[in-house]
Amino acid sequence: MSKKNIIVILLIVIVASAGYFLFKWSRGSSAAWKFIPSNAVVVITSEHLQDSLYVATDANLDIKRLPLLDVASDNLSLLNLLTSDKKRLYNFLKGKALSYSYHPRTSTEWGVLMYIPVSDEEAKWLGSPQRTNTRALHHTFQDHRITDIIDTNSRPLFSYLVKDNFLILSYYGDLIEDAVRASSLNIESFRLRSHFSGIDDSDYGTSIYLRNDAWKSVISPENVNGILKEFAKNFPNHQDFHIETTKTKGDLVLTSAGTAAPDYYLTDIVKDIPGSPFAGHKHISQQTSFLYRSAVLDKAAFKKEFSKWHKKYKSESWDKLKYYISEESNLLIDNLGSELILCQLEENNSISDGKILLAEFSNYDKLRPVLQKLARLANQETNVSLDQYQGYDIYAVPIPELPSGLYGPMFSGFPRSYITYVAPYLVISNNSQVLQNYIVDYENQITWKQSPEYDSVLTNSTSEAQLSMVVNLRKAQSASGSEGSKKYADLTAKMESVVLQCHYDGDQTFPQITLHPKKRQTAGKVLNRTFLNIDIEWPEIYDTELAALQNPVDGSSEILLTDKENNLLRTNNLREGKTETIAKLNGPIITSAYKVDFLNIGRQQRIFATNRTIYALDEDDSTTVTTFTATLPSSEDITALYSIDGGDDGSNRFIIKNAAEELFIWENVTKPVKRLNHSVAFENIQSPVVALNQIGNRGFIVTQKNGKIYLLKENGTVRQGFPVDILTRTESPFTWAQNPDTGQPELVGVSVSGELVRIGLDGKVTSRKQLLRPEPGSRFQTLFDRNSLDWILIRSLNSKTAIITKEGRDLFEIKDILPNSVIQYHFFGVDNRFITIKSGNYTTVFDMTGKRLGDKAIPSEMPVQLTYQPGYSKLLIFSRSEKKIQVWSVKLR
């Protein structure tokens, strides 16, 4: 080949390559930006939403049912009104990149425009569509012929326009006219277009462009707490997310090409400092629903930027802090590290808005006397400022929104603050009970470090983000008040968590959304099927209740039984059902049994009572069982045993009731049981007795059937203002709940006629609310979990029972229940709550949506007991039937 020809060929290659790369560089987004009206809230372009199967991850997540994408997918169905020929419609859409734009119609509704590329031949077909049961009308707008499809009753179905080789189609004809206007106007001020039209999204399967306010369709603004609102301000006002491939393994990641950083204080502090991976998993309780985290690598740079911001920041709580401790308040700022973590915890029976704030902190020894001084000066009452729990100092500081004054509005929702130190974090909570629960979880290692789902979240150093939010989908969806949010069944059923991150690079923000699938997938032939694990031959049952116990740390379960010689036998091999004798009792078990760390030694003991004695059985690592016992200073038999918290060293305590309706308390194995009520005689106590365990407000709530509510002090005397007579009967006990506005506890319960009553600690009724009572004979009760961890309401009449939330909203109703049924509530966390109904000699298990769990009823001659194994998402059901103790299992996820 001649030298001249070689030069020509090289020139051709160079020009072709340049042309190719110029084409790639200049092609921009495949969205139909030219036609999209400027009021668009969301713009989507995708080649796959029209596919019959569009899934990702090994969990087969349906991408078409994800938030925002589901709206576009649903609107595709109107094409079925265009033609009844399925094959033609399939060929018409095959391989095309469709665009969708969402436009506000009302405060809660969007109108959708679809933009579909068409060939000249397809345009001819669309000019005169052949479809039975519909008619095509036409009207002209700005010299464009718009087709309106109506049904035989002249009701409008949809409208469309063919323009510049695009089919523009919508349910709403006025949106088609808006698209015509957009194509003829200069809309450079249209922010979505100006930000994202230059992005080459041809390599992505699906791309989403949106304004920040579009997320309110996913989570209703009425149900968004202040923290989430503030966190959202760290995200840019305009966002793009892209799905590169439909991965069959691992996580599904929605990436961003980046946009301008928002003007928000936390963003300004961290945007120029690289983020750091997460290493604090052992500090995050498994009760966490939402986790918000800000963390950067360079502590010195963070301190400089944080101090610069805080000097300009004005806050009433910071002013109050300086009023009490003057310049010593700067210690809380000067020793701050570069990591802040805020955990929103799941609900329980008393607290619906529990928060734990972890602020990386150094030099706690220097801060301790300052906190003691602050707690004493800020509290007007005595004995309410300082406490100890399991060796941790707890300081009560009644300065409203103290964390917000320290770290900014992102850390709000603290009417009062309860502070301790768990190295390397200063720990602040909005409730002393929440702080104690956190310490228990930390000490018992019930944290993310022990969770196979969360032990590696945010640890990837290659995707460091300065700001992150982790959402436990099941806990978030199960929370009270989430009924106003849209449900995404496929997402919550198959994904464990959603992680939203913001990575900043100077003035650019790169948001990212990661969906983590559950690590264990259950085969369809096993999921939600009832299996009989073991049968234990037990001809005669001597115990009043089945004693099924669980270790909350590892989820292992066991059952305790007594024989006719009063030997205590334990079965923890739930495959073979072998029993072993572990102790000798003086009678059968006649109360509920518990498994708690009563001795406060880092392992749990079995606690129960016979009619004369209370037992605590401790088993060490060598399986040696040590028995501790206590008796009542009374000749009457024991009738009930209630586990409560609030011991001097942070351990559990026990309330005992005898046949004479007298109450006793056992606080420690080294102390005798002491009488609780000296000055008052109770009658018809409604079980259980509930402990109120707040700094400065410790005591016990005792409810009588006649409607008298007592609040006892720690020494057993009746608190001033009590008893409160609600002037009607109650068939269930009162409990306490935190008032979210004041942060203070109040008593709450329901009368038999359905009046929900709230009582202040001064003994004054603060509110009465009549719950829905559809029939005159309806009777209401508060139904407690066996361990008094949570409660719900029920409404019963004859053969039907309704399950009701704490606020009085009906969840579901069960009918055709036989007389003398037993309804129980089982609480293993907000995302694992169950109802069992024993009707006749069979028990059925339901979740909190009313879905029946398992494929058969459980034979049971006495009320069943449940345990839950979180590592396997397995529910164990213990029953007695036909002279056997049976253990059944149901795999839930």
Side-chain angles (χ1 to χ4, degrees), residues 711-742:
L711 180 56
L712 307 184
K713 298 180 181 179
E714 283 276 278
N715 60 10
T717 60
V718 179
R719 184 162 174 154
Q720 186 176 357
F722 290 85
V724 174
D725 193 343
I726 64 171
L727 303 177
T728 184
R729 288 186 301 109
T730 178
E731 294 184 348
S732 54
F734 270 56
T735 183
W736 70 276
Q738 181 188 27
N739 184 312
D741 297 325
T742 65

Side-chain angles (χ1 to χ4, degrees), residues 123-332:
K124 292 179 182 177
W125 163 62
L126 292 167
S128 55
Q130 302 298 314
R131 183 73 166 90
T132 59
N133 301 324
T134 63
R135 290 189 296 149
L137 302 179
H138 306 281
H139 75 275
T140 302
F141 180 78
Q142 292 187 359
D143 298 327
H144 290 83
R145 187 171 182 259
I146 297 175
T147 301
D148 302 303
I149 303 298
I150 62 175
D151 64 13
T152 54
N153 294 317
S154 299
R155 289 176 299 196
L157 298 177
F158 63 96
S159 300
Y160 67 87
L161 164 74
V162 177
K163 178 177 172 60
D164 297 344
N165 294 111
F166 273 97
L167 167 65
I168 306 172
L169 181 135
S170 177
Y171 282 112
Y172 304 101
D174 59 308
L175 285 181
I176 304 293
E177 296 176 359
D178 289 343
V180 172
R181 290 191 193 94
S183 66
S184 60
L185 296 174
N186 180 6
I187 55 170
E188 290 302 319
S189 61
F190 175 21
R191 294 298 182 188
L192 285 180
R193 176 179 176 179
S194 60
H195 278 301
F196 303 122
S197 61
I199 292 177
D200 179 10
D201 56 18
S202 58
D203 292 333
Y204 300 116
T206 297
S207 296
I208 309 168
Y209 308 96
L210 55 90
R211 294 193 330 221
N212 203 3
D213 58 341
W215 291 113
K216 69 183 181 183
S217 71
V218 180
I219 304 176
S220 173
E222 291 78 17
N223 295 291
V224 175
N225 60 46
I227 307 167
L228 190 53
K229 283 182 180 178
E230 291 296 323
F231 180 80
K233 294 178 182 178
N234 292 293
F235 275 67
N237 294 325
H238 298 88
Q239 302 161 24
D240 64 313
F241 297 101
H242 309 276
I243 302 175
E244 293 191 16
T245 58
T246 55
K247 291 177 64 177
T248 57
K249 298 290 182 183
D251 304 330
L252 177 63
V253 182
L254 284 71
T255 58
S256 169
T259 186
D263 182 18
Y264 188 66
Y265 86 96
L266 202 53
T267 300
D268 293 337
I269 291 172
V270 303
K271 68 180 182 181
D272 294 315
I273 314 171
S276 65
F278 188 34
H281 290 77
K282 70 177 182 179
H283 293 273
I284 307 303
S285 166
Q286 289 186 18
Q287 297 182 49
T288 302
S289 288
F290 291 81
L291 178 139
Y292 306 85
R293 178 176 182 261
S294 166
V296 291
L297 279 174
D298 192 332
K299 295 184 180 181
F302 176 85
K303 184 176 181 180
K304 178 182 177 182
E305 294 298 322
F306 181 83
S307 299
K308 187 193 304 182
W309 163 80
H310 202 274
K311 286 177 182 177
K312 302 176 184 177
Y313 180 54
K314 302 297 181 184
S315 164
E316 184 177 343
S317 56
W318 177 253
D319 292 340
K320 284 188 176 181
L321 185 66
K322 296 202 73 171
Y323 170 77
Y324 288 121
I325 57 174
S326 189
E327 294 306 312
E328 289 177 309
S329 57
N330 290 322
L331 280 174
L332 289 158

Side-chain angles (χ1 to χ4, degrees), residues 393-413:
D393 299 320
I394 296 180
Y395 309 94
V397 181
I399 298 177
E401 302 299 350
L402 175 62
S404 179
L406 292 171
Y407 314 122
M410 171 79 188
F411 305 95
S412 60

Side-chain angles (χ1 to χ4, degrees), residues 752-764:
V752 70
S753 59
E755 191 174 37
L756 191 63
V757 182
R758 292 182 178 270
I759 305 170
L761 296 185
D762 57 1
K764 295 180 180 178

Side-chain angles (χ1 to χ4, degrees), residues 45-164:
T45 179
S46 176
E47 298 178 1
H48 300 294
L49 291 183
Q50 66 268 38
D51 295 350
S52 58
L53 190 66
Y54 187 26
V55 297
T57 80
D58 50 3
N60 289 324
L61 175 69
D62 187 353
I63 295 179
K64 294 186 291 184
R65 302 322 304 165
L66 288 179
L68 302 178
L69 292 175
D70 61 334
V71 178
S73 179
D74 291 342
N75 271 265
L76 273 170
S77 62
L78 70 78
L79 293 174
N80 293 318
L81 300 173
L82 190 65
T83 177
S84 57
D85 188 339
K86 301 294 182 183
K87 184 176 181 180
R88 182 169 197 171
L89 184 60
Y90 170 79
N91 291 329
F92 175 60
L93 297 175
K94 183 179 180 181
K96 291 182 178 179
L98 275 60
S99 299
Y100 312 80
S101 61
Y102 302 173
H103 306 269
R105 307 278 307 170
T106 66
S107 60
T108 58
E109 182 188 18
W110 287 336
V112 178
L113 277 164
M114 290 191 291
Y115 312 84
I116 306 172
V118 294
S119 64
D120 292 338
E121 183 179 343
E122 290 169 336
K124 292 179 182 177
W125 163 62
L126 292 167
S128 55
Q130 302 298 314
R131 183 73 166 90
T132 59
N133 301 324
T134 63
R135 290 189 296 149
L137 302 179
H138 306 281
H139 75 275
T140 302
F141 180 78
Q142 292 187 359
D143 298 327
H144 290 83
R145 187 171 182 259
I146 297 175
T147 301
D148 302 303
I149 303 298
I150 62 175
D151 64 13
T152 54
N153 294 317
S154 299
R155 289 176 299 196
L157 298 177
F158 63 96
S159 300
Y160 67 87
L161 164 74
V162 177
K163 178 177 172 60
D164 297 344

Side-chain angles (χ1 to χ4, degrees), residues 518-530:
K518 292 181 174 65
K519 292 187 177 180
R520 294 186 179 91
Q521 298 299 314
T522 303
K525 64 181 180 180
V526 176
L527 186 65
N528 207 32
R529 301 292 177 88
T530 306

Side-chain angles (χ1 to χ4, degrees), residues 491-636:
L491 178 66
T492 54
K494 297 175 180 177
M495 298 293 108
E496 180 66 27
S497 59
V498 175
V499 178
L500 292 90
Q501 295 176 277
C502 261
H503 174 253
Y504 303 98
D505 188 0
D507 290 329
Q508 284 291 104
T509 304
F510 299 87
Q512 179 176 293
I513 301 175
T514 305
L515 304 180
H516 293 276
K518 292 181 174 65
K519 292 187 177 180
R520 294 186 179 91
Q521 298 299 314
T522 303
K525 64 181 180 180
V526 176
L527 186 65
N528 207 32
R529 301 292 177 88
T530 306
F531 294 94
L532 178 61
N533 289 26
I534 58 168
D535 270 328
I536 304 172
E537 293 288 342
W538 207 258
E540 188 172 355
I541 188 87
Y542 299 95
D543 304 318
T544 304
E545 301 181 19
L546 289 176
L549 303 178
Q550 180 175 19
N551 184 334
V553 178
D554 60 14
S556 60
S557 301
E558 66 181 13
I559 188 167
L560 303 179
L561 296 163
T562 55
D563 60 18
K564 62 182 179 180
E565 285 84 23
N566 298 327
N567 293 309
L568 180 68
L569 294 92
R570 183 263 309 274
T571 297
N572 58 6
N573 185 329
L574 300 184
R575 291 186 177 180
E576 300 176 5
K578 293 180 180 179
T579 60
E580 57 178 328
T581 301
I582 60 172
K584 180 76 173 181
L585 310 181
N586 61 7
I589 300 172
I590 56 93
T591 66
S592 296
Y594 304 93
K595 197 169 187 180
V596 297
D597 187 3
F598 185 39
L599 302 180
N600 198 25
I601 57 175
R603 62 174 179 261
Q604 296 180 323
Q605 294 78 47
R606 305 166 182 89
I607 317 291
F608 53 82
T610 63
N611 63 345
R612 301 299 306 164
T613 307
I614 312 123
Y615 287 83
L617 271 59
D618 178 59
E619 184 174 5
D620 63 20
D621 294 337
S622 62
T623 69
T624 300
V625 176
T626 304
T627 302
F628 302 90
T629 62
T631 56
L632 303 187
S634 165
S635 60
E636 299 286 343

